[in-house]
């Protein structure tokens, strides 16, 4: 047996465990921020450019029901959904950078108000789109993402309420929960591209109908019962209780998901977002 430098969990000094948790959370947030900014860049470059040029039919290269000739109300809602999405996708990580919050509290408050308002608008527009325009996928996917829209709207209201009543610890928790569910659509894409990369192609679903057991599972775990929220609750619990074993296990889980997410971000950038900009 070879010697390793990693001590068993029970030998990790208690005061190291919170540090490890912080490191894992920072690694996760840094990776997620990069991936979300790439997604935001794609939204602005693809939808922003085509919308500014009045070339709305270009939306349909990606969204089968994006632009419908003559339906100006529906098209406006789709346009608002995707363009406002860029603001929250790019702005979300900015809200979580501690130095930015400490140095520019007014900016944090302003962006926070914009973030919750846009999150509610984007989720409401998404609900309208999914139930009036139809889309690819099956009813489990539609119901799951609709449940997520309800989470987004509810958490946004709770985050802003707690901020207004100066319940700052509660505000922090609801804002982080909101961030997780707002990014559900991003987790879905990154999870999908991770799966396609590790399987060397689509597996467990039909690419034409966009249905199958893998997509059913992914939509449930990213939208209806989000894994991201479960891990976030574990993170909160570990922060509060600081039990060594639980804290180290939570840190390990966060790190595993950071690696999965990193691979998925690479897959989504190279296989989904960049090719659409050509
Ligand atoms: C709040 C977070 C959300 C963000 C950031 C977001 C972002 C986006 C983006 C960027 C697209 C364009 C697709 C692409 O180019 O890959 C899109 C499409 C779409 N979104 Fe959202 N979205 C969010 C929430 C929702 C919710 C909650 C729903 C439904 C309840 C929804 C329903 C849809 C639908 C139906 C499409 C069109 C898909 C198609 O035609 O196949 N979105 N969204």
């Amino acid at each position: 047996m070879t010697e390793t430098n990693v001590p068993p969990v029970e030998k990790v000094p208690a005061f190291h465990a919170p540090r490890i948790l912080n490191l894992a959370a920072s690694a996760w947030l840094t990776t997620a921020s990069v991936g979300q900014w790439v997604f935001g860049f794609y939204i602005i470059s693809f939808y922003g450019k085509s919308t500014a040029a009045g070339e709305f039919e270009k939306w349909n290269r990606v969204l089968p029901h994006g632009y419908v000739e003559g339906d100006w109300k529906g098209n406006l809602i789709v346009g608002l959904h995707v363009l406002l999405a860029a603001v929250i996708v790019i702005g979300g990580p900015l809200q979580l950078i501690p130095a930015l919050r400490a140095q520019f509290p007014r900016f944090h408050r302003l962006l926070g108000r914009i973030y919750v308002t846009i999150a509610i608008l984007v989720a409401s527009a998404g609900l309208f789109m999914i139930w009036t325009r139809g889309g690819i996928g099956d009813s489990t996917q539609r119901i799951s993402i609709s449940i997520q829209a309800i989470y987004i709207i509810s958490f946004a209201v709770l985050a802003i309420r707690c901020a207004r009543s100066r319940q700052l610890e509660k505000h922090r928790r609801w804002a982080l929960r909101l961030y997780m569910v707002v990014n559900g659509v991003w987790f879905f894409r990154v999870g999908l591209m991770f799966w396609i990369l590790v399987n060397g192609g689509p597996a467990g679903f039909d690419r034409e109908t966009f249905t199958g057991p893998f997509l059913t599972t992914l939509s449930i775990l990213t939208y209806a019962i989000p894994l991201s929220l479960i891990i976030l609750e574990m993170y909160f619990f570990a922060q509060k209780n600081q039990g060594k074993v639980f804290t180290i296990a939570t840190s390990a889980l966060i790190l595993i998901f950071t690696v999965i997410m990193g691979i998925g971000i690479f897959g989504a950038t190279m296989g989904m977002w960049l090719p659409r900009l050509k």
Side-chain angles (χ1 to χ4, degrees), residues 179-193:
Y179 168 79
M180 289 301 182
V181 288
V182 160
N183 284 303
V185 295
W186 180 82
F187 288 129
F188 186 90
R189 286 160 173 79
V190 166
L192 172 64
M193 294 314 282

Side-chain angles (χ1 to χ4, degrees), residues 4-277:
T4 71
N5 291 327
V6 182
V9 169
E10 65 274 11
K11 295 231 172 98
V12 175
F15 56 86
H16 277 171
R19 249 180 80 81
I20 293 171
L21 184 67
N22 270 344
L23 280 174
S26 302
W28 184 92
L29 184 60
T30 308
T31 312
S33 301
V34 172
Q36 280 155 20
W37 287 333
V38 176
F39 185 40
F41 172 77
Y42 149 75
I43 298 174
I44 293 173
S45 308
F46 181 73
Y47 294 103
K49 253 192 195 167
S50 51
T51 306
E55 296 167 337
F56 306 110
E57 58 296 331
K58 276 198 180 162
W59 297 351
N60 292 0
R61 282 197 210 157
V62 178
L63 307 176
H65 309 89
Y67 176 71
V68 178
E69 185 106 35
D71 178 13
W72 71 268
K73 264 192 221 154
N75 295 335
L76 182 69
I77 289 175
V78 174
L80 283 177
H81 179 82
V82 288
L83 294 174
L84 289 179
V87 180
I88 45 178
V89 167
I90 295 171
L94 294 180
Q95 287 299 83
L96 303 183
I97 299 172
L100 213 64
R101 263 198 326 262
Q103 296 216 0
F104 305 101
R106 286 179 67 184
F107 173 74
H108 177 77
R109 281 200 289 273
L110 176 68
L111 185 56
R113 286 193 190 104
I114 295 173
Y115 190 91
V116 288
T117 310
I118 291 185
I120 293 172
L121 288 176
V122 170
S124 311
L127 271 178
F128 171 86
M129 285 155 68
I130 210 102
W131 294 108
T132 62
R133 286 270 175 116
I136 49 175
D138 57 18
S139 46
T140 310
Q141 289 174 43
R142 280 195 280 278
I143 292 170
S144 292
I145 199 169
S146 301
I147 293 174
Q148 177 139 91
I150 295 165
Y151 290 147
I152 293 172
I153 296 168
S154 316
F155 296 176
V157 170
L158 288 163
I160 210 78
R161 248 197 210 167
C162 294
R164 282 208 179 126
S165 59
R166 311 296 297 159
Q167 294 176 283
L168 293 187
E169 183 47 32
K170 275 193 178 170
H171 163 68
R172 182 183 83 94
R173 284 170 182 239
W174 284 115
L176 282 172
R177 289 176 187 128
L178 173 63
Y179 168 79
M180 289 301 182
V181 288
V182 160
N183 284 303
V185 295
W186 180 82
F187 288 129
F188 186 90
R189 286 160 173 79
V190 166
L192 172 64
M193 294 314 282
F194 166 80
W195 180 256
I196 291 178
L197 258 189
V198 296
N199 285 290
F205 72 94
D206 181 281
R207 50 187 309 177
E208 297 305 318
T209 58
F210 208 63
T211 56
F214 169 71
L215 291 176
T216 304
T217 311
L218 185 66
S219 67
I220 293 174
L221 292 182
T222 49
Y223 297 142
I225 309 169
L227 259 184
S228 61
L229 272 190
I230 295 172
I231 297 173
L232 179 66
E233 293 305 326
M234 289 173 69
Y235 171 73
F236 288 155
F237 188 76
Q239 272 191 324
K240 211 162 90 186
N241 292 276
Q242 307 194 342
K244 226 181 348 180
V245 176
F246 187 79
T247 305
I248 298 293
T250 305
S251 311
L253 198 62
I254 294 174
L255 284 173
I256 291 169
F257 274 97
T258 305
V259 174
I260 294 176
M261 202 169 65
I263 297 171
I265 290 169
F266 174 78
T269 306
M270 304 311 288
M272 195 189 262
W273 299 322
L274 286 186
R276 289 176 186 170
L277 300 185

